[in-house]
Amino acid sequence: MEKYSQIIILGIAIGTLARIFMLRNDYRSYPSYPHGYVTHISLGVIAAALASIALPAIMEKEFTAVTFLTIAAQQFRDIRNMERETLSKLEERSLVPRGHDYIEGIAKTFEARNYLVMFVSLVTTGVAVFTDLWLGALSGLLAIVISGLLMRGKFVRDIAIVKPGNLHFNNSLLMVDNIVIMNVGLKSSQEKILKEGVGVIIHPKDDDARATLNNMGQRQAILHDVSALVGSKLEIGEPDWTPLLRKDIDTGKLALFIIPNEKDINCIIEAIYRTPVLESAEQKPLSSEIGRKASD
Amino acid sequence: MDVAIKDGILAVVTAYPNKVQGNVAVFVTENDQESERIALLLSRILAAMVHDLENGVYIIVKH
C-alpha cells in the first residue's frame, strides 16, 4: 500500500479543492456562515477520502473496499435531509420564503456536490495510478472545471426577457400593464405603492419557458431572490406591501410587483435574471411531438 | 402553533349598512373617510388586508 499513499493524498487534496471551489457560488442558496463552511468542507474531505481509496484498494485486490462507496451514498443522502430540515425551519420565520421547490433544489445540489467530489477524486487517483502524479493532478483539475460547467444549471436569463412594466391602479385594482396583481383598498396604501413600488414584466422566450415560469415554486424562487437582493418593505401585519407575481393567462407572461428598499429597476431586473431555474420546475413540452404541434 | 382564519371576511367597514347582509361583523361609519380610517386600523390590528369593493364597502381579509 506504500506506493499508493502519495496518490491517495493527492486524491483527497484535489477532491477537497473541488468542494471548496463549489462552495464559492453558494452565496444566495445558503446563509454561508463559517460553521456551514466547516460542515461542508469536512464532508467534502470524507467524500474525497472514500473515493481516493477505492482504486488503490482494487489494485491491491481488496474488492470488498468498494462496498465503502455504498456507505458514502447513504451518508450523503443525510446531507440532503439536513439541508432540507434546516432551510425549512428557517423558512417559518421568513417574510418572503424560498418555497419548498427551491429548498428541495438546494438540498439536492448539496448532495450532488459530494458525488462530484468523489468523481473528481476518482479521476485523479485513476489517472495517477496508471500514469504519474502530475498527470493525475492535472486531470483532477480538469474534472473540477468540467463538473462545474455541467452543474451550472440554467438561469431565468436563459429562458426569459424582463422589461419594466407600467404600475398603475384601475380603481382599486393594482395592475402592471394589463395584468391584475391585487385589490388594494386603502387610498394611503395606493399612494405609497404608486410612489415607491416597481412593476416589471417577465416575457418567456418560448413555450418551454412559459411552462417553467408557470410553476408556482419557480415564481416563489424569483420573488425570494429579488427580495433578498434588493430588499422588500414587506412587514408583519402589513400585507399591502407583499411582493407578488401574477400571470397573464393568455400569453403566459408574468408581472412582478415589489416595493423594494432600493428603487433601482435595473438591479431588480438583474436580480430576476440571476434567479436559478429550478430543476423541479423545468418543463419541456417542446421536446415532445404533441407539444411542438400544439405550439404552432 | 398559530391558528388563524384565512381567506374569509373578518370584518366589513361601510357607511352604507344596507349594502351588507349576513353573518359578519359590520362596522358602520359616518362617511367614507371614517370607513377608510377604521379599515386601516382594523387591517393593522388583524394583520390583514383591506379590499375595496368600490361601492363604499371595505372588507378585511387575511390571506
Side-chain angles (χ1 to χ4, degrees):
Chain A
M1 209 63 187
E2 187 67 17
K3 57 181 174 180
Y4 292 121
S5 55
Q6 280 179 321
I7 291 171
I8 292 173
I9 290 170
L10 179 76
I12 295 175
I14 301 272
T16 310
L17 194 72
R19 188 67 191 91
I20 293 170
F21 174 77
M22 284 185 269
L23 271 178
R24 183 188 53 106
N25 44 24
D26 281 352
Y27 75 102
R28 242 171 332 158
S29 331
Y30 202 79
S32 23
Y33 39 79
H35 290 91
Y37 277 121
V38 173
T39 312
H40 288 296
I41 292 174
S42 328
L43 286 164
V45 173
I46 294 172
L50 278 169
S52 302
I53 294 166
L55 260 176
I58 292 174
M59 303 296 284
E60 290 289 308
K61 303 216 167 12
E62 297 276 357
F63 297 119
T64 45
V66 180
T67 53
F68 265 90
L69 295 179
T70 56
I71 301 175
Q74 181 68 43
Q75 190 71 29
F76 299 139
R77 229 189 6 248
D78 285 345
I79 296 181
R80 186 198 286 212
N81 292 335
M82 179 183 86
E83 287 300 327
R84 184 195 292 128
E85 249 175 57
T86 322
L87 289 172
S88 306
K89 287 213 173 101
L90 293 175
E91 187 98 326
E92 289 168 18
R93 287 273 163 241
S94 166
L95 279 175
V96 185
R98 287 187 174 86
H100 292 301
D101 306 58
Y102 202 174
I103 288 179
E104 207 52 46
I106 294 170
K108 223 185 297 172
T109 313
F110 271 96
E111 184 189 3
R113 281 178 180 166
N114 283 290
Y115 297 129
L116 286 177
V117 165
M118 293 178 71
F119 163 70
V120 168
S121 290
L122 265 178
V123 169
T124 311
T125 48
V127 175
V129 163
F130 293 111
T131 58
D132 68 2
L133 280 177
W134 288 111
L135 271 179
L138 199 71
S139 56
L141 293 177
L142 201 69
I144 294 180
V145 175
I146 291 171
S147 57
L149 286 179
L150 286 179
M151 292 290 121
R152 193 178 148 267
K154 273 197 200 164
F155 293 88
V156 172
R157 182 190 306 281
D158 303 321
I159 64 167
I161 297 166
V162 183
K163 289 182 183 152
N166 172 29
L167 194 69
H168 62 279
F169 275 97
N170 178 356
N171 291 327
S172 60
L173 287 180
L174 173 63
M175 303 181 73
V176 179
D177 288 0
N178 60 340
I179 303 169
V180 177
I181 303 286
M182 61 174 163
N183 179 309
V184 180
L186 296 169
K187 290 278 174 300
S188 54
S189 296
Q190 293 184 3
E191 281 160 22
K192 189 175 170 72
I193 285 171
L194 279 183
K195 209 169 91 199
E196 297 172 24
V198 172
V200 292
I201 302 282
I202 304 172
H203 299 269
K205 283 182 182 168
D206 55 19
D207 278 12
D208 282 354
R210 180 174 173 176
T212 304
L213 289 171
N214 197 20
N215 182 291
M216 299 290 283
Q218 181 63 51
R219 292 195 216 174
Q220 189 61 40
I222 294 175
L223 284 174
H224 173 82
D225 271 9
V226 173
S227 318
L229 293 181
V230 298
S232 163
K233 290 196 175 168
L234 177 63
E235 168 58 351
I236 308 162
E238 298 183 28
D240 291 12
W241 326 129
T242 313
L244 287 171
L245 256 178
R246 290 285 181 263
K247 180 178 72 168
D248 179 350
I249 51 168
D250 295 324
T251 62
K253 66 183 179 183
L254 297 177
L256 180 140
F257 156 72
I258 186 171
I259 304 188
N261 289 340
E262 309 289 342
K263 191 177 174 179
D264 184 332
I265 187 121
N266 290 326
C267 289
I268 292 169
I269 291 177
E270 190 55 34
I272 297 172
Y273 275 145
R274 279 183 179 210
T275 309
V277 173
L278 305 181
E279 263 177 57
S280 55
E282 200 174 355
Q283 305 212 345
K284 292 177 176 160
L286 287 184
S287 56
S288 79
E289 202 175 327
I290 298 171
R292 271 194 305 274
K293 255 189 186 161
S295 71
D296 53 39
Chain B
M1 204 175 79
D2 290 344
V3 177
I5 300 170
K6 285 193 172 170
D7 296 324
I9 299 178
L10 296 179
V12 177
V13 184
T14 182
Y16 317 97
N18 56 332
K19 289 187 178 176
V20 187
Q21 283 191 352
N23 189 14
V24 61
V26 184
F27 292 77
V28 182
T29 56
E30 298 289 323
N31 50 44
D32 286 346
Q33 265 156 345
E34 194 190 347
S35 297
E36 175 102 17
R37 177 74 188 156
I38 298 292
L40 171 69
L41 291 175
L42 278 172
S43 82
R44 292 294 183 267
I45 293 164
L46 298 167
M49 180 110 193
V50 178
H51 294 297
D52 181 3
L53 299 187
E54 297 179 5
N55 60 352
V57 179
Y58 294 88
I59 58 174
I60 319 283
V61 181
K62 194 173 183 100
H63 294 288

